[in-house]
Amino acid sequence: DVNVSGINNIYNIAPPDTDGDVGPDHFFQMVNNGFAIYNKSGVKVYGPADNITLWDGFPGPWSNTNDGDPVVLYDEYADRWIATQFALPYYPNGPFYELVAVSETGDAMGSWYRYAFQFDNMPDYPKFGVWPDGYYFTSNQFDHGAWQGGAISILDRDAMLVGDPDAEMLFFEMGSSNGSILPSDADGAMAPPAGAPCYFVSLSGASLKMWESNVDWNTPENASVDYLGFISVEPYSGNNINISQPGTSQKLDDLAGRLMYRL
């Protein structure tokens, strides 16, 4: 086993939005506005660098931004990496962007295909999942700070894996009563069964709400996200930013109002 210190919150942003994933040769860590790559011996082989470095040479309104809320995933079914963050170049006005980079090979130190998907509302709290028929991500939408409801976006994974610049995005408004939805992220040597839908879950009081996707990239207009119903859970309590930890007076936030990534 290897236990080393990763990069800390050098950007002084709260919450730091720490995220990371492991592949065959590397651990890739993102902390809000920056990232670093480590080998399996725990040696840092790249970084820390600003997240926007991944989109160098991919010009657009996002070029001088580095806005964070990052997610990094290793897609083991394609041996690729996916790194993301949002870009808010005109904040609080739109348009807003979700930047997505897909490695051209399984080497996290290699070249990347880069994408920017545009949104009318700020796509806050983006959460990603790998599924055989797409890269799925959810977001909480805001317009000048006003809540606009949750959203589900589905990216054409097959197109992005070959660097197709016209890779499509499907977008679904989920309504003001649904937020902080999580997409399923397939993990493990056994892939989901062929044709299995990607599932989505959010917290609703003492219950979970669940949806499933239906995607056909040959006829994208037939795609849908269908509501499945409620799942009851055992009662639980929250304590806000009042969770004590040993050796310090610094308290932790339980974030009990939403499910924790990943699903």
Side-chain angles (χ1 to χ4, degrees):
D1 293 342
V2 176
N3 186 5
V4 298
S5 295
I7 58 172
N8 59 20
N9 188 14
I10 58 177
Y11 297 91
N12 297 315
I13 294 176
D17 293 325
T18 53
D19 200 78
D21 207 351
V22 63
D25 302 309
H26 296 104
F27 176 75
F28 197 125
Q29 181 192 22
M30 301 185 87
V31 179
N32 209 292
N33 292 89
F35 74 96
I37 301 173
Y38 300 80
N39 65 23
K40 286 298 188 70
S41 298
V43 177
K44 185 167 59 182
V45 294
Y46 188 88
D50 288 351
N51 292 337
I52 198 63
T53 304
L54 291 165
W55 290 271
D56 281 351
F58 181 66
W62 49 83
S63 293
N64 294 316
T65 67
N66 191 44
D67 293 322
D69 254 18
V71 173
V72 57
L73 289 172
Y74 175 67
D75 179 352
E76 60 197 286
Y77 309 114
D79 185 28
R80 302 293 187 87
W81 292 90
I82 306 99
T84 74
Q85 72 169 353
F86 58 33
L88 319 173
Y90 311 112
Y91 185 83
N93 299 309
F96 308 94
Y97 302 89
E98 185 68 25
L99 304 179
V100 182
V102 179
S103 65
E104 295 185 19
T105 69
D107 184 3
M109 300 285 290
S111 299
W112 296 72
Y113 301 124
R114 284 82 61 83
Y115 297 89
F117 297 95
Q118 183 173 314
F119 296 84
D120 294 331
N121 293 312
M122 177 185 171
D124 196 27
Y125 202 68
K127 296 291 177 279
F128 277 72
V130 171
W131 206 256
D133 62 4
Y135 290 134
Y136 288 72
F137 79 95
T138 56
S139 54
N140 290 338
Q141 301 183 92
F142 292 91
D143 179 11
H144 291 79
W147 170 244
Q148 301 297 308
I152 290 174
S153 302
I154 309 173
L155 311 180
D156 188 341
R157 174 176 175 264
D158 288 346
M160 297 174 75
L161 289 174
V162 297
D164 183 349
D166 298 319
E168 293 184 82
M169 178 183 77
L170 305 175
F171 179 78
F172 300 90
E173 295 274 6
M174 300 304 291
S176 61
S177 62
N178 297 309
S180 298
I181 304 168
L182 292 185
S184 299
D185 178 47
D187 197 2
M190 182 184 296
C198 184
Y199 294 98
F200 306 86
V201 178
S202 73
L203 194 60
S204 179
S207 299
L208 304 175
K209 297 175 78 171
M210 192 170 186
W211 299 261
E212 68 177 15
S213 66
N214 174 40
V215 177
D216 179 357
W217 290 109
N218 293 319
T219 314
E221 57 269 24
N222 290 340
S224 64
V225 174
D226 303 313
Y227 180 59
L228 297 178
F230 284 92
I231 303 170
S232 297
V233 298
E234 291 297 315
Y236 61 91
S237 61
N239 200 24
N240 298 316
I241 312 177
N242 290 302
I243 309 298
S244 298
Q245 50 183 337
T248 176
S249 60
Q250 180 69 52
K251 300 294 183 71
L252 298 177
D253 187 347
D254 59 17
L255 282 175
R258 64 192 68 186
L259 299 176
M260 292 293 95
Y261 184 69
R262 297 172 298 132
L263 174 65

